[in-house]
Amino acid sequence: MSRARSHLRAALFLAAVSPRGATTGIAARRELSARPAPQKPGMEYQDAVRTLNTLQTNASFLEQVKRQRGDPQTQLEAMEMYLARSGLQVEDLDRLNIIHVTGTKGKGSTCAFTERILRSYGLKTGFFSSPHLVQVRERIRINGQPISPELFTKHFWRLYHRLEETKRLQGQGAQALTCSCPQDSNSCVSMPAYFRFLTLMAFHVFLQEKVDLAVVEVGIGGAYDCTNIVRKPVVCGVSSLGIDHTSLLGDTVEKIAWQKGGIFKHGVPAFTVPQPEGPLAVLRERAEQISCPLYLCPPLEALEEGGPPLSLGLDGEHQRFNAALALQLAHCWLRQKDHQGLRDTEWPGRTQVLRRGPLTWYLDGAHTCSSVQACVRWFRQALHREERRGSGPEVLVLLFNSTGDRDPAPLLKLLQPCQFDYAVFCPNLTEVSSTDNADQQNFTVTLDRVLLRCLEHQQHWSRLDEEQASRDLWSAPSPEPGGPASLLRAPHLPHTHSTSSLVFSCISHALQWISQGRDPVFQPLSPPRGFLAHPVAGSGASVLSEAAAIHVLVTGSLHLVGGVLKLLEPSLSQ
């Protein structure tokens, strides 16, 4: 085992991989579908993305779908129909040698680890994931890189026009199948919804680019997710389970485990990480029903054999579970070889740190209770390792948003012990108007609704502050296993029994206020009139302008993190 460990440690030092709406408006945008691919130089990609966005489900229809959800099995049958109309059969997907991964927390990181390991051995890899952070083409990767705008545009229009050409051939019998688009029954059947379309497109890209293997991340759930039309994956994986998407998957971990176990296939090995006994029993039962060999991943300590810890490219103790699962998934390809690639894994927006002058941005798309707990542990430990920058005060800022039907109260309560000086809330919009940026458009919600939700977040935070007002905020928090003994970092700004909070209308305005022009990369135009009219905004601007260091935790939503990255890392939009 010592020889294997030495090979493993050597392999971990590879070169780092590059990172990672009204109804009438929808109807008008659908008129784009019949026109030929655009020819204007430089506009092809954005035009393709705008057309893709017409397949999003608008907010009002989304609520109707949730209330009147039909047989989910029918949705898989519809996906197979779309696949056939696109020119492929389910059997064609067998050639992709797919690794299929689901879970509540860490499935994206597990996929990133797995893809990196396999690419380290010279395999040409495909990787399909969601959501995207900055540009939609991030969802489809070849050899770890998002496909180019040119390749995205080519495959998009080829698939889009193919589906347009075949929609009239479905016949009357197909009209019973539903699709998440707010149109009449004929047009609902005619084009797949946003995520379905991207899934189809990924399959076409991977086949035409002749990848050796495709790592496919489940969208939501597993059993009825549109990625589950895959019949013969090489191996399946289930990362940590928890409560999320309850309106779709069920309100207990056991019900959610049943959905996740739906990706298991007869005779195909599956792996999972340690789970609570209830959901683990459900996974075992699902596996036994179809004769799927299910294995529990050994911890990374089994490979370390008492030596120093393996180095991972993704920070946080929870990533060790994801790395352990990735090793087992990759082992189906590498039975005769050692493992490598863990240290070189990068997955933007997950425990990511950007240092910019006096500002340090901590980015993590945690959006469930368990993942926010892990995020808080990582953030505290990262703060503990930071060196002081001068003699002035250090300011802690939270930038938060949550979406969908998630209850923000427990997430915010988990973040409260970090003792932020300012809590900032904003919707997942990079600008007040995103019409010039198709990648960031979202028709599934309205502006009024997302701003109202941000105000609700602020109210939750204020109530938590009131509950905490009687406590001695200068006392050290309880030490955590493996964490720092105290989070206090003197000279820290004294607390006055509450955290000041603000709501901004978009991410750009929030970043302008937080950075105060001190981020050397993010240098926006002048702020809008009345930007500092609120007393907290005005006084806080002075504090932030004079602070020796500003530590900003961005969390609660991957879409929020993606919008922040778009503004802080302009190269990601190139």
Side-chain angles (χ1 to χ4, degrees), residues 182-230:
Q183 306 293 315
D184 57 60
S185 60
N186 285 325
S187 64
C188 274
V189 176
S190 69
M191 294 296 288
Y194 186 91
F195 184 77
R196 283 180 178 172
F197 187 98
L198 288 171
T199 304
L200 292 169
M201 183 171 161
F203 291 149
H204 278 270
V205 170
F206 296 154
L207 284 167
Q208 293 179 39
E209 297 300 315
K210 295 181 171 56
V211 299
D212 296 312
L213 174 141
V215 180
V216 176
E217 178 188 356
V218 166
I220 294 178
Y224 305 116
D225 186 76
C226 63
T227 64
N228 204 30
I229 60 171
V230 175

Side-chain angles (χ1 to χ4, degrees), residues 416 419-423 461-471 473 493-501 536:
Q416 194 87 17
Q419 297 185 4
F420 294 101
D421 300 294
Y422 298 97
W461 187 263
S462 298
R463 281 196 292 269
L464 289 169
D465 252 354
E466 291 171 2
E467 295 172 3
Q468 190 173 298
S470 60
R471 302 174 189 171
L473 296 182
L493 286 182
H495 288 270
T496 56
H497 301 293
S498 67
T499 299
S500 299
S501 61
V536 172

Side-chain angles (χ1 to χ4, degrees), residues 156-174:
F156 172 83
W157 288 115
R158 182 179 294 171
L159 175 60
Y160 193 90
H161 291 324
R162 172 68 178 173
L163 291 169
E164 279 286 332
E165 291 166 1
T166 57
K167 68 182 181 181
R168 296 180 181 86
L169 303 179
Q170 296 176 67
Q172 296 298 317

Side-chain angles (χ1 to χ4, degrees), residues 188-495:
C188 274
V189 176
S190 69
M191 294 296 288
Y194 186 91
F195 184 77
R196 283 180 178 172
F197 187 98
L198 288 171
T199 304
L200 292 169
M201 183 171 161
F203 291 149
H204 278 270
V205 170
F206 296 154
L207 284 167
Q208 293 179 39
E209 297 300 315
K210 295 181 171 56
V211 299
D212 296 312
L213 174 141
V215 180
V216 176
E217 178 188 356
V218 166
I220 294 178
Y224 305 116
D225 186 76
C226 63
T227 64
N228 204 30
I229 60 171
V230 175
R231 301 183 318 158
K232 296 180 180 179
V234 175
V235 62
C236 298
V238 182
S239 65
S240 297
L241 297 178
I243 297 291
D244 199 14
H245 299 295
T246 54
S247 63
L248 295 172
L249 306 180
D251 55 2
T252 68
V253 185
E254 287 75 17
K255 292 178 181 177
I256 291 172
W258 188 93
Q259 295 281 351
K260 306 292 184 181
I263 70 168
F264 295 160
K265 302 295 187 295
H266 174 76
V268 174
F271 293 86
T272 189
V273 298
Q275 312 277 7
E277 185 53 41
L280 185 60
V282 173
L283 291 179
R284 287 198 191 101
E285 181 180 356
R286 289 283 265 169
E288 290 172 357
Q289 288 173 349
I290 59 170
S291 300
C292 163
L294 176 63
Y295 303 96
L296 190 63
C297 292
L300 285 188
E301 287 77 8
L303 293 175
E304 294 165 344
E305 287 191 337
L310 297 173
S311 297
L312 306 183
L314 302 182
D315 206 359
E317 186 66 22
H318 57 289
Q319 295 293 356
R320 292 176 63 80
F321 290 103
N322 302 329
L325 177 56
L327 286 173
Q328 299 304 321
L329 297 177
H331 187 62
C332 285
W333 279 93
L334 306 172
R335 293 182 185 280
Q336 306 303 319
K337 300 178 182 180
D338 296 312
H339 311 296
Q340 60 186 18
L342 294 179
R343 177 172 180 170
D344 305 315
T345 299
E346 298 180 13
W347 193 223
R350 288 80 168 177
T351 62
Q352 182 178 4
V353 179
L354 297 176
R355 293 179 175 85
R356 303 286 184 72
L359 287 116
T360 304
W361 304 89
Y362 303 82
L363 309 172
D364 190 80
H367 52 272
T368 66
C369 286
S370 298
S371 59
V372 170
Q373 283 179 319
C375 172
V376 168
R377 285 195 297 269
W378 161 72
F379 178 61
R380 285 179 154 185
Q381 291 166 1
L383 283 179
H384 187 69
R385 292 193 298 265
E386 280 288 314
E387 296 182 1
R388 286 203 46 78
R389 308 181 192 179
S391 57
E394 299 192 5
V395 182
L396 299 185
V397 181
L398 170 67
L399 179 57
F400 178 90
N401 191 35
S402 72
T403 60
D405 56 4
R406 298 182 181 90
D407 182 2
L411 305 183
L412 292 170
K413 187 172 184 178
L414 290 169
L415 292 162
Q416 194 87 17
C418 292
Q419 297 185 4
F420 294 101
D421 300 294
Y422 298 97
V424 179
F425 306 97
C426 69
N428 298 339
L429 304 171
T430 52
E431 308 287 347
V432 175
S433 173
S434 60
T435 54
D436 294 331
N437 178 23
D439 283 290
Q440 297 292 324
Q441 286 181 321
N442 185 352
F443 301 134
T444 65
V445 291
T446 63
L447 180 59
D448 289 346
R449 183 172 177 179
V450 295
L451 286 175
L452 180 61
R453 186 170 175 87
C454 290
L455 290 171
E456 292 171 351
H457 293 160
Q458 185 185 37
Q459 292 169 0
H460 280 300
W461 187 263
S462 298
R463 281 196 292 269
L464 289 169
D465 252 354
E466 291 171 2
E467 295 172 3
Q468 190 173 298
S470 60
R471 302 174 189 171
D472 180 8
L473 296 182
W474 284 99
S475 62
S478 301
E480 297 183 6
S486 173
L487 186 62
L488 297 178
R489 298 161 52 79
H492 193 73
L493 286 182
H495 288 270

